[in-house]
Each structure stands twice: as C-alpha cells, then as structure tokens.
Amino acid sequence: MRALTLCAFLVVSPLVAQAQAPAPAGASAKLPEVEPSGMQARVQPERVLLGEPFVYEVVLTHPADHRYELDVPPDLGDFELLSQERTPPAAGKDPAVTVFRVRMSAFKLGMVTLPDLAFLVSTPEGPRRYVAPGRTLEVGSTLPEDAEAKGEDLRDIQPPTEVAVRSWTLVWAALGVIAAALLGYAAWRFFQKYRERRRAAVAPPLPLDVRTRRALDALKSENLPAQGRVKDFYFRLSEILRGYLGERYDFDALECTSSELMAQLRRLKAPGLPEDGLMRFISESDLVKYARAESSPDSCREALTFGYSLLDQTWPPPPPPEAAPVSHASGPRVP
C-alpha cells in the first residue's frame, strides 16, 4: 500500500488553547527511535503577529528505503495547525531528502517555542519514530503600542448577565419531556441488557473460527472504504485479527504493540502463520490508523482477503471422529 499525502485540520480557539495543557505525543510514541542522517528546520517569518500564519519548514535527509510521515499530536497547546505539505524525495537518489512545510498560527505573546514534531518512519526493520525539537518564534500583539493608553487593550470575558424570564411554564414542560425521554431510554436499555444476559446464559459460544469469519463477513458487507471511512475499516479489521490471534494462541494480543505482537508470535512458533504477510498488514494498518495515511479501495480489499487467508492457514482442522467399538456376535464356544 502506498501512503499518500496526509491532511489534518485542528481548530482551537485562542482562549481555550491558552487554558488547556499540551497533549502527549501522537500514536507513534511507543515506537523505537531512529535518527535521520541530517535535519534542518526554519520558521518563516521569524516574527509574526498574534494569530498570523507562519510556515515551519523541516528538511530531513535519510536513506532512500526510509519513508517519513508527520504524526500530528491531537493538541498543539498555544498553536493552531492550519495545513501541512509533504514534498517526497526525488526518485533514485540516495540519501533521500523529504521536506515538510507546516502552516500554523500562534496565540501567545512573546518568545514561544514551537511544539516538537514527531514523525512515523517506515523502515525495512519495521515502524520507527523520530522527534524534531521545536524552534523559537517571536509573537507580537496586533494592537498598536499606544493601545493601552487609549483604552483599546484586549478585554477579558465578561461575567454572565441575568435575563428576566416571564414564565417558567415552558421550562418545566421541557424538563418534563426530557425526564420522560430519559426514563424511557433507561428502561429500554435495561430490557436490552436483560435480554442479552439471558441469551448469553442460554446460547453456548460459537467456535472461534466461526465467530471470526462472521466478523470478517460483517465488515465486508458494511463496505466502509466506499463511504470514505478507511481509518474505521483498518481499526475494525485490526481488532478482529488481533482478537483471533490472542484467543487462538492464548495471549493478550489486543494490548500488545505491533512489535510485541510479532515477538510473541515468533516465540510461540505458530504453525502455518504467514509472518511476512502479517508484518506487512500491521505496518500498513499502523500508517492508516495513526499516521493518517490514505489507502485505496484495492488495498482495503487486499487487507480483508489477507484476514480470511490468515484464518484459513492458522485454524486447525477438526480432529477425525473416533471409530465406534466393534461388537462381537455371540456364538458357541470352541473347546
């Protein structure tokens, strides 16, 4: 699968951005570290006004068989991500040069430090990560220098103002309707859970291969890639295959990282396990789920076909039925 240009948009208001603390790094935080052979970064322009866009450019020099993708954290604190652009390296050049241009705006005055940029790196040895340290930027006010003297400085949020309500009848009626709807919903949920418990207590669980195949069939029938939900498709498929492998080989596969999952399966020496195909699927799935890479419908169909193939190659056939004992006919004894 070929990862295409990533696009991510994060809208953060200035006041909320100042009140919230920065979120932790992106989904690649657990991956092993790798260093490019060269890194250059610059900010254009080096001084901007509050809320004014600027470009943070990072130039990475790396081996030709490495691919770098930007792993944007969910919260950038005092910064807002407007857009990003990735210029891939020229074909046939080694070392390769990949250029990232991140367009941002700042909502904090003074000398500020840009957030560290994390990159998800695809290598022949598996997924890796690299973190580029943030650069400094000077952010100035949009008001003139004499604004405070003229009373034109920024004002804080005003407290709530009382609004007279002529009658509470409509309010109480609305609250009654909401309370009745909530009680009805709670009763319906209780009845559904009761039915599920009764059904689970009566019906024995289906065999693992039957449940896994039904889950793959259900995912196939939903046709999520055609609806533009490629990321949801890979999350669902990854959970189905991880749940099957964990139950099949008796370990907690859903809580393992990609590298831990492969290491555990190699220690088990699972017969028939397509190790190379599983490693390719895990790498492609991580790029789509955590690096926001795009995937074509053909790649999604190939991933689903691999899921069926994995089930067929690793599920043991049922044991042969035991032969019924042969009954001997009675007859006269031979002296």
Side-chain angles (χ1 to χ4, degrees):
M1 180 184 65
R2 179 177 297 176
L4 303 181
T5 304
L6 308 176
C7 295
F9 298 91
L10 178 64
V11 179
V12 181
S13 71
L15 294 177
V16 175
Q18 293 178 5
Q20 296 178 346
S28 64
K30 296 183 179 180
L31 295 178
E33 299 283 347
V34 68
E35 290 286 342
S37 54
M39 192 279 286
Q40 296 179 352
R42 62 175 179 173
V43 181
Q44 297 177 329
E46 297 181 354
R47 186 185 189 281
V48 296
L49 300 180
L50 191 70
E52 185 178 39
F54 62 91
V55 176
Y56 184 17
E57 182 181 82
V58 178
V59 181
L60 300 175
T61 304
H62 55 86
D65 56 355
H66 289 195
R67 177 181 176 86
Y68 282 71
E69 297 289 348
L70 183 61
D71 184 16
V72 182
D75 187 2
L76 295 177
D78 297 320
F79 299 88
E80 178 182 355
L81 177 64
L82 303 177
S83 64
Q84 59 172 298
E85 177 185 353
R86 175 182 180 274
T87 302
K93 288 191 175 181
D94 194 5
V97 177
T98 304
V99 181
F100 293 87
R101 294 181 179 87
V102 184
R103 191 166 177 263
M104 310 171 70
S105 56
F107 296 95
K108 183 178 180 181
L109 297 175
M111 295 299 298
V112 296
T113 302
L114 297 176
D116 296 345
L117 293 184
F119 297 88
L120 186 66
V121 187
S122 297
T123 70
E125 295 78 19
R128 298 289 188 272
R129 75 186 291 257
Y130 167 68
V131 179
R135 294 298 190 267
T136 57
L137 174 71
E138 183 180 359
V139 181
S141 174
T142 57
L143 298 176
E145 296 180 356
D146 58 347
E148 186 174 356
K150 295 181 179 180
E152 298 177 354
D153 55 327
L154 294 176
R155 298 182 180 180
D156 200 354
I157 301 176
Q158 297 298 316
T161 303
E162 289 191 14
V163 178
V165 179
R166 294 183 178 180
S167 174
W168 293 93
T169 304
L170 183 59
V171 176
W172 285 113
L175 291 176
V177 172
I178 294 174
L182 292 176
L183 288 174
Y185 177 76
W188 177 80
R189 288 289 299 169
F190 176 82
F191 180 72
Q192 291 294 325
K193 291 183 178 180
Y194 175 76
R195 288 183 58 185
E196 291 174 2
R197 287 196 296 268
R198 288 289 302 273
R199 189 181 299 112
V202 174
L206 295 172
L208 174 60
D209 63 323
V210 176
R211 286 183 277 120
T212 304
R213 194 173 297 277
R214 287 188 178 182
L216 292 173
D217 293 340
L219 180 60
K220 181 180 180 181
S221 63
E222 293 183 28
N223 197 14
L224 297 179
Q227 306 172 28
R229 300 169 57 188
V230 176
K231 186 175 181 180
D232 294 340
F233 168 83
Y234 273 94
F235 264 110
R236 289 271 302 279
L237 181 58
S238 179
E239 289 181 357
I240 293 172
L241 298 185
R242 282 175 173 264
Y244 165 75
L245 291 172
E247 189 172 349
R248 169 68 178 84
Y249 299 109
D250 193 20
F251 71 99
D252 194 358
L254 292 174
E255 295 300 325
C256 292
T257 63
S258 299
S259 57
E260 291 172 350
L261 175 66
M262 295 303 302
Q264 181 69 19
L265 291 172
R266 292 189 183 102
R267 283 195 297 267
L268 293 173
K269 298 180 180 180
L273 180 69
E275 185 175 326
D276 294 339
L278 180 59
M279 188 62 198
R280 285 194 300 271
F281 167 77
I282 290 175
S283 299
E284 295 173 357
S285 178
D286 288 346
L287 286 174
V288 174
K289 292 188 299 181
Y290 303 126
R292 298 179 178 87
E294 297 182 1
S295 179
S296 65
D298 292 336
S299 299
C300 294
R301 282 193 294 270
E302 292 175 2
L304 186 60
T305 302
F306 171 75
Y308 284 105
S309 175
L310 176 67
L311 177 62
D312 293 336
Q313 296 181 47
T314 56
W315 182 252
E322 297 182 359
V326 179
S327 60
H328 299 279
S330 62
R333 293 184 178 179
V334 179

